[in-house]
Amino acid sequence: MIATDLIGIESLERDDIELILETAERMQELGERQVKKVPTLRGRTIVNLFFEPSTRTRTSFEIAGKRLSADVINFSTSSSSLSKHESILDTARTLDAMQPDAVVVRHGVAGVPKRIADVLGAPVINAGDGAHEHPTQALLDLLTVKQEKGRIDGLTVTIVGDIVHSRVARSNIYGFLKMGAEVRVAGPPTMLPPAVETLGVKAFTSMREALEGADVVMALRIQLEREAGALFPSIREYAETFGLSRATLRFAKDDAIVMHPGPVNRGVELSHDLADHRPSVILDQVRNGVALRMAVLYLLAGRERAAEGEGAR
Ligand code: CP
């Protein structure tokens, strides 16, 4: 059983990950129904506390909470007392005094969700913090690979791009390694963290070598808002050397799948054609994000009910 909060994949055991993925698979069936709602979290309150922009994560947490019948509050930073210089921790304490059952936090600075979790009574779920972790993204990626390939153990997963700035890369490295995959990272030397191999991955600056025999290829977004553009000579050169297209994908296994956490810089890290068509599974990742976040909310915000074994029904 996962602990009180979900701050990162690093602190999870393989059993925790398996429990979350199995719970998400049970939740998926609900998305196929005409009435996509069960009373599992009726009377519970979820607060979405996003200090950074988000389309997929914020919306899917909201849909996930509503499908479980929770009341979901989307906290707006621009119209809050943060604009009157109230601190983030005081904001969190204030919201906590209203007795929510879970708080979902995204922030541009690594460590903020953990700091908030330290002062809150409610479970805190990290929805992405700086370059630290994005645990629910990695969990939905694991779910997608498990369903596409029928297993994770023994697969070769290559993550390409801005590894140094990427919380998605970090969480996926922990997650795929814990689940028994071989993990490779690839990109220009400036985008690979120093001593990245100490995490247990193999590092490459050649796409051909990185992709050879890969079952899963994950392209990452070049984070231009975090000055990643200064780490290579030009976007065009990056696209030519590390962009994923049908031509570069031929180095991977014939049945390799292509993933991307979104949003995509089309024509930079991923060709237009690959972004829109198989073997890309980008929209499956998005779809799985709802079921995965339902599972996390159920396991954390519906604690007593989860312990009693009550699920989607
Ligand atoms: N993958 C991801 O976190 O996307 P959003 O920023 O749109 O939530």
Coordinates of all heavy atoms in Angstrom, one line a residue, residues 53-57 106 134 137 261-262, ligand 1:
P53 N 1.4 26.1 -15.5 CA 0.3 25.7 -16.5 C 0.3 24.2 -16.7 O 1.3 23.5 -16.5 CB 0.8 26.4 -17.8 CG 1.7 27.5 -17.4 CD 2.4 27.0 -16.1
S54 N -0.9 23.7 -17.1 CA -1.0 22.3 -17.3 C -2.3 22.1 -18.1 O -3.3 22.7 -17.8 CB -1.1 21.5 -16.0 OG -1.6 20.2 -16.2
T55 N -2.3 21.2 -19.1 CA -3.5 20.8 -19.8 C -3.9 19.4 -19.3 O -4.9 19.1 -18.7 CB -3.4 20.8 -21.3 OG1 -3.1 22.2 -21.7 CG2 -4.6 20.4 -22.0
R56 N -3.0 18.4 -19.6 CA -3.3 17.0 -19.4 C -3.5 16.7 -17.9 O -4.4 16.0 -17.5 CB -2.1 16.2 -19.9 CG -2.1 16.2 -21.4 CD -0.6 16.0 -21.9 NE -0.5 16.5 -23.2 CZ -0.4 17.8 -23.5 NH1 -0.4 18.7 -22.6 NH2 -0.3 18.2 -24.8
T57 N -2.5 17.1 -17.1 CA -2.5 16.6 -15.7 C -3.6 17.2 -14.9 O -4.4 16.5 -14.2 CB -1.1 17.0 -15.0 OG1 -0.1 16.6 -15.9 CG2 -0.9 16.3 -13.7
R106 N 1.1 21.1 -8.4 CA 2.2 21.3 -9.4 C 2.9 22.6 -9.1 O 2.2 23.6 -8.8 CB 1.6 21.3 -10.8 CG 2.7 21.8 -11.8 CD 2.3 21.6 -13.2 NE 2.3 20.2 -13.6 CZ 2.2 19.9 -14.9 NH1 2.1 20.8 -15.9 NH2 2.2 18.6 -15.2
H134 N 7.6 13.6 -11.7 CA 6.2 13.7 -12.1 C 5.6 12.3 -12.1 O 5.5 11.6 -13.1 CB 6.2 14.3 -13.6 CG 4.9 14.7 -14.1 ND1 3.7 14.4 -13.5 CD2 4.5 15.4 -15.2 CE1 2.7 14.9 -14.2 NE2 3.2 15.5 -15.3
Q137 N 2.7 10.9 -14.2 CA 3.0 10.7 -15.6 C 3.8 9.4 -15.8 O 3.4 8.6 -16.8 CB 3.9 11.9 -16.1 CG 4.4 11.8 -17.5 CD 3.2 11.9 -18.5 OE1 2.4 12.8 -18.4 NE2 3.2 11.1 -19.5
P261 N 5.2 12.6 -23.4 CA 4.3 13.0 -22.4 C 3.5 14.2 -22.8 O 2.5 14.5 -22.1 CB 5.3 13.4 -21.2 CG 6.6 13.8 -21.9 CD 6.7 12.9 -23.1
G262 N 3.8 14.9 -23.9 CA 3.1 16.1 -24.3 C 3.5 17.3 -23.3 O 3.9 17.0 -22.2
Ligands
CP1 N1 2.5 15.7 -19.5 C1 2.1 16.8 -18.8 O1 2.4 16.9 -17.6 O2 1.4 17.6 -19.5 P1 0.7 19.0 -18.9 O3 1.8 20.0 -18.6 O4 -0.3 19.4 -20.0 O5 0.0 18.6 -17.7

